[in-house]
Amino acid sequence: MEVLKQIDKLVQEAQEEIAVSGSLGKLEELRIKYLGRKSEMTSILKGLGNLPADLRPQVGKRSNKAKTSIEQMLQKRNDELSDEIFNTLREDEFVDITEPGTKYESGHLHPITQMRMELEDIFTSMGFTIATGPEVETDYYNFEALNIPKDHPARDIQDTIWTVDGNPLRTHTSCVQIRTMEKFKPPIRAISIGRVFRYEETDASHEHTFYQVEGLMVDRNISVANLIAVMRTMLKAVFHREVKTRLRPGYFPFVEPGFELDMNCLLCGGKGCQVCKYTGWNEMLGCGMVHPNVLKRSKVDPDEYSGFAFGMGLDRLVMMRYQINDIRLFHSADLRFLEQF
Ligand code: PHE
């Protein structure tokens, strides 16, 4: 009988196709093809009513059996394919959690920048504001206003680089003292941190380009005692311990009296070592009471006000903190050096 053969053939075809189907998607296509609403099987069942009554039960039974067997084949293949997927997943997506991870490089701030930010924090916490000035200065701010006239021998100590139109690259941050006093009336508490330049032959302790922090405090009754107190507070905060300081006379034309401030050598604890050249002390900074001429020129009345100023090299400070023995490393762009901070 034609219909029964048709049914058997469908089962046969389905079996062949299901056996070689390689994915769950393909399997779903086959389910639609053999059992879906538009499948041959469905139309056979729909056409049952048109068959002679005596054939109906036989055809009905055969097609139901066929449907069940195709469903079972689909289910079996579905299980096989799922297992396969799961097993390869285990291999493909295996993660060895004991394997070393990937290290992503990230940059960080230069040690001098770190020191700069620390100093800014220390001084702002003492009520100082942060001032700035240009790196290419004028003769007036770098020398003249600081009590260093054209023929003054102190100009030789700070020999410098000049632009073609006759302006100096600032040799210190002291110029910002003047710019600050021109802009603000006392009381003044300000620091300024920045790059300075010298016409200098470089060696382990000299660079043509380095960093300074300048400080200025002007008010009524400011004395050397205030200067010492602020310097001690600063050094203690930078080195995280008690420090001893001493003042020695020092000459800077824009302060009177002028001092060099030394700090006890933290390396040897004052006993004497290579770093402190066996003196037990390290020279930290220049400082003093702002010279009346400087105050006057900046329109501050020296009879009413007095002030102190200091200037300190940042490079030196960082070198001392980390025991770095060559200032030229800072601008060497050598990652072996920089990555240590
Ligand atoms: N400007 C001086 C220098 O560069 C340091 C200094 C600043 C000294 C302020 C006294 C007061 O050497």
Side-chain angles (χ1 to χ4, degrees):
M1 201 204 307
E2 275 312 305
V3 196
L4 294 180
K5 272 193 198 144
Q6 196 192 347
I7 294 170
D8 291 346
K9 200 174 146 246
L10 273 176
V11 175
Q12 178 72 27
E13 278 173 16
Q15 188 179 17
E16 283 164 13
E17 279 203 89
I18 289 169
V20 299
S21 67
S23 71
L24 294 175
K26 179 69 192 171
L27 210 56
E28 176 60 10
E29 277 172 28
L30 293 177
R31 192 190 62 74
I32 291 163
K33 178 173 171 188
Y34 288 103
L35 302 175
R37 272 189 301 119
K38 289 176 188 160
S39 65
E40 248 180 283
M41 191 63 83
T42 304
S43 51
I44 290 171
L45 284 167
K46 270 187 193 153
L48 267 185
N50 302 331
L51 290 173
D54 56 334
L55 284 181
R56 279 181 216 157
Q58 213 188 344
V59 173
K61 232 190 221 166
R62 183 74 68 92
S63 32
N64 276 332
K65 235 178 107 186
K67 252 182 94 171
T68 316
S69 103
I70 294 174
E71 272 163 6
Q72 282 170 351
M73 291 188 291
L74 284 168
Q75 186 58 48
K76 186 165 162 271
R77 187 68 189 136
N78 180 74
D79 291 349
E80 284 169 7
L81 284 173
S82 303
D83 273 359
E84 254 172 53
I85 291 170
F86 190 72
N87 286 336
T88 54
L89 258 189
R90 201 153 41 192
E91 280 159 34
D92 294 353
E93 306 205 352
F94 173 71
V95 175
D96 181 358
I97 56 163
T98 66
E99 205 177 294
T102 317
K103 191 181 167 202
Y104 294 99
E105 297 291 336
S106 71
H108 62 76
L109 296 175
H110 192 280
I112 290 184
T113 307
Q114 294 177 30
M115 181 60 89
R116 174 194 193 129
M117 293 166 96
E118 266 183 56
L119 285 168
E120 286 175 350
D121 280 350
I122 292 167
F123 279 103
T124 48
S125 80
M126 288 193 270
F128 283 70
T129 55
I130 295 164
T132 56
E135 292 178 345
V136 180
E137 263 297 0
T138 62
D139 188 275
Y140 179 76
Y141 287 106
N142 198 83
F143 298 115
E144 204 80 27
L146 287 163
N147 216 18
I148 314 172
K150 287 252 155 38
D151 54 355
H152 197 289
R155 287 209 177 200
D156 294 342
I157 313 172
Q158 298 197 353
D159 202 354
T160 191
I161 301 158
W162 299 78
T163 63
V164 281
D165 47 2
N167 289 316
L169 298 191
R170 65 178 180 188
T171 60
H172 49 191
T173 40
S174 296
C175 337
V176 187
Q177 288 183 35
I178 308 299
R179 291 183 176 276
T180 305
M181 283 191 282
E182 284 181 353
K183 245 185 260 153
F184 303 101
K185 299 249 162 301
I188 292 170
R189 264 182 287 182
I191 60 154
S192 185
I193 300 179
R195 242 183 347 177
V196 301
F197 310 86
R198 302 259 169 109
Y199 184 69
E200 189 100 58
E201 226 167 311
T202 62
D203 62 30
S205 49
H206 294 91
E207 254 291 19
H208 50 73
T209 303
F210 55 100
Y211 284 79
Q212 280 188 339
V213 51
E214 189 80 14
L216 175 71
M217 183 163 180
V218 183
D219 203 344
R220 292 191 176 90
N221 303 317
I222 295 294
S223 73
V224 177
N226 301 115
L227 167 64
I228 294 172
V230 172
M231 294 300 91
R232 281 222 187 118
T233 308
M234 182 246 315
L235 293 171
K236 201 175 134 183
V238 167
F239 292 103
H240 302 289
R241 62 187 108 166
E242 282 305 326
V243 294
K244 279 192 210 135
T245 55
R246 73 174 185 190
L247 290 182
R248 284 180 293 112
Y251 176 66
F252 306 95
F254 37 94
V255 285
E256 179 57 37
F259 310 104
E260 306 261 5
L261 186 138
D262 297 344
M263 185 178 82
N264 61 311
C265 181
L266 296 175
L267 221 66
C268 62
K271 283 193 209 81
C273 67
Q274 227 173 347
V275 172
C276 61
K277 298 190 192 86
Y278 303 96
T279 63
W281 295 95
N282 285 316
E283 202 180 302
M284 298 303 294
L285 53 96
C287 56
M289 303 307 293
V290 183
H291 197 291
N293 288 351
V294 175
L295 291 175
K296 258 185 260 166
R297 215 183 247 113
S298 308
K299 310 264 179 316
V300 177
D301 180 359
D303 292 328
E304 189 177 356
Y305 292 105
S306 55
F308 70 74
F310 68 90
M312 176 174 65
L314 249 62
D315 305 59
R316 189 77 92 59
L317 204 60
V318 178
M319 286 170 81
M320 220 170 272
R321 173 186 276 181
Y322 298 114
Q323 290 158 39
I324 296 164
N325 57 14
D326 195 326
I327 193 172
R328 292 167 296 190
L329 286 166
F330 287 129
H331 293 140
S332 64
D334 188 338
L335 288 177
R336 291 168 306 177
F337 169 72
L338 292 172
E339 277 170 356
Q340 299 176 59
F341 305 98

